[in-house]
Amino acid sequence: MHTNQDLAHKLTMHGIKVTPQRIAVLQTLLNFRHHLTAEEIFKEVSTNIPGLSQATVYNTLDVFVKRGIACKIATNADVMRYDVILEPHHHLFDVASNRVVDYYDPELDQILKIYFSKKRIKGFRPLEIKLHLTGKFEELS
């Protein structure tokens, strides 16, 4: 569990004005860590902050994305999910459950870096490489 002071420091370090709403949204993202939608974040945060508007949550998420605290993950159902895990990882999107699972593989990361350093796409310099794999988890018997 992160303290409000820790969260306020994180916001300040990213040049974001500290408000109770922003702290609550960041706390929710860090607590759940499973790629929540804006609607899910709103439902969770609004239980602790009565009168909170959905627009405030959407605006806060946009600020977090612009300032590098979070990133958006698009699903094939056109639902945006938010991720606060910024260390290198990839996403496995399960079409059956609409679930996004983090996938860590340093060997894959290295292979992708080498590939794109050799490939040299004209006029483009990759800053980050993340795979988003779409599929279906098989039921385990």
Side-chain angles (χ1 to χ4, degrees):
M1 187 78 158
H2 304 277
T3 68
N4 284 353
Q5 186 177 354
D6 293 339
L7 299 173
H9 180 71
K10 186 172 184 79
L11 293 173
T12 302
M13 293 302 294
H14 283 85
I16 299 171
K17 182 180 173 188
V18 177
T19 67
Q21 295 86 352
R22 288 176 175 165
I23 287 177
V25 169
L26 183 55
Q27 182 73 58
T28 300
L29 286 166
L30 291 168
N31 284 349
F32 285 85
R33 307 274 310 230
H34 65 270
H35 312 100
L36 298 171
T37 65
E39 292 78 21
E40 291 168 333
I41 295 165
F42 171 72
K43 284 179 187 173
E44 182 65 29
V45 174
S46 64
T47 61
N48 298 321
I49 303 179
L52 179 72
S53 73
Q54 278 189 309
T56 298
V57 171
Y58 278 96
N59 291 338
T60 298
L61 291 168
D62 284 344
V63 169
F64 286 2
V65 170
K66 287 177 187 166
R67 297 298 178 121
I69 287 181
C71 64
K72 288 182 183 180
I73 304 168
T75 67
N76 68 351
D78 291 330
V79 174
M80 283 296 178
R81 295 186 174 274
Y82 293 85
D83 190 1
V84 290
I85 302 171
L86 300 179
E87 59 263 11
H89 69 287
H90 309 283
H91 294 122
L92 307 175
F93 175 66
D94 182 8
V95 295
S97 67
N98 232 8
R99 180 175 55 134
V100 178
V101 176
D102 292 323
Y103 178 70
Y104 296 88
D105 187 336
E107 181 182 3
L108 177 60
D109 297 340
Q110 191 60 32
I111 290 168
L112 290 169
K113 284 179 188 173
I114 292 168
Y115 174 82
F116 284 106
S117 70
K118 289 179 181 178
K119 195 70 174 170
R120 300 250 187 233
I121 301 168
K122 187 176 180 179
F124 183 79
R125 182 175 55 96
L127 301 175
E128 176 182 51
I129 301 170
K130 280 190 178 183
L131 292 180
H132 182 88
L133 303 170
T134 301
K136 186 175 177 185
F137 285 104
E138 295 179 8
E139 294 296 320
L140 299 176
S141 305

